[in-house]
Amino acid sequence: MTDDDGAQPEQLGPPAWTGDHVVLTGSCSWADRTLVEDADWYPWRTMSAEERLRYYAAHFPLTEIDSTYYAPPAERQVALWAARTPDGFRFDVKAYSLLTGHPTRPRSLWRDLREQLSVEDAAKRNIYPKHLGPEAMDEAWRRFEAALRPLHEAGRLGVVLFQYPPWFGPRRDNRAEIEALRGRLPDYRISVEFRSPRWLAEERDRERTLAMLEEHGLVFVCVDAPEASGLPRLMAITNPELFVVRFHGRSDSTWSDTSGSAAERFRYLYSEEELEELARPIAEHAREARETHLLMNNCYQDYAVRNAAQLRDVLALHAG
């Protein structure tokens, strides 16, 4: 595939494993401001967006698109992401905040849907699905699905990540919402990350939650997070197609602090010893899945890309 100017994408960054069980590592952002402006990982700071993505893809075969959480992507932009990366590259895409019940800025909506809001709701700092109504929400789902189609058709779409907020607990209506995901995006792989510890608090809760995901072909997102999160370091596979682990660092003091940037919140550099400790259970589970995605979300300066490269090298020793 060539991009809009006819240039061929660069070589694909190396995986940790190949063969029957492919293991990919990467960062949850290739364009975080602190990585671009405050670190020396990119060879020069004047690189264009296209040049940065090509450079990143030459070093890693996997990334996560986080901007789609804050605003739905334009299909043209999605097509460019696909065109500017080589075959075998994977984008995991974070679902739009409106689709997971997070606070959503009205101005991030598609214009015609925003115009359907009441004057009072349009003036709010944040809105939620209840402010749009069922028909408008159905249309939001349809448009989000359509926007990702170029990545899917190019073979670049890894998984669509639905990260639910801490207040999204294991109630009947919330279970029904998760169970409906497959029908919403039938052609895409879907992963689910819980931020409420209640889904996994006790053994019975864990069994019920994992069984629900497995029944509907959804991928459980394992997390490495600070103790303050209350989230267990649980590794499990609910869909043999994909095993996903996201690394949020281990900074207890900043976990709940949303006053600053995301980079500051997840500012934590894993030590080699910590990565080696994590590599053993990861390797065991990776042998049970066709593909494994390991994503560093400690996107402060070059922390994530450094740790992603280190984890790749450590896991390479566990291959076979």
Side-chain angles (χ1 to χ4, degrees), residues 213-235:
L213 298 178
E214 184 174 3
E215 178 183 355
H216 295 278
L218 305 174
V219 176
F220 172 67
V221 176
C222 315
V223 299
D224 185 81
E227 289 187 12
S229 69
L231 298 170
R233 195 169 297 132
L234 172 67
M235 294 192 182

Side-chain angles (χ1 to χ4, degrees), residues 39 49 64 165 167 187 198 244 248 254 270 282 299 307:
E64 181 179 290
W167 57 86
D187 295 337
R198 293 168 53 207
V244 176
H248 300 304
T254 60
Y270 286 90
I282 288 172
C299 296
N307 280 159

Side-chain angles (χ1 to χ4, degrees), residues 74-148:
E75 188 171 336
R76 168 65 174 165
Q77 180 60 63
V78 173
L80 288 176
W81 287 332
R84 292 170 176 174
T85 49
D87 289 341
F89 191 84
R90 295 287 185 271
F91 290 93
D92 287 0
V93 178
K94 197 171 184 180
Y96 182 32
S97 59
L98 185 71
L99 308 183
T100 50
H102 283 88
T104 299
R105 299 295 175 89
R107 66 174 179 269
S108 73
L109 286 171
W110 297 269
R111 177 178 296 181
D112 60 327
L113 296 189
R114 185 170 67 244
E115 291 173 348
Q116 296 180 29
L117 293 171
S118 68
V119 174
E120 180 183 358
D121 290 341
K124 293 179 183 295
R125 177 180 175 85
N126 294 304
I127 60 167
Y128 297 86
K130 65 181 181 181
H131 295 114
L132 276 84
E135 290 187 9
M137 282 301 301
D138 286 344
E139 181 62 13
W141 279 97
R142 188 196 68 76
R143 293 184 188 184
F144 186 76
E145 187 277 338
L148 300 185

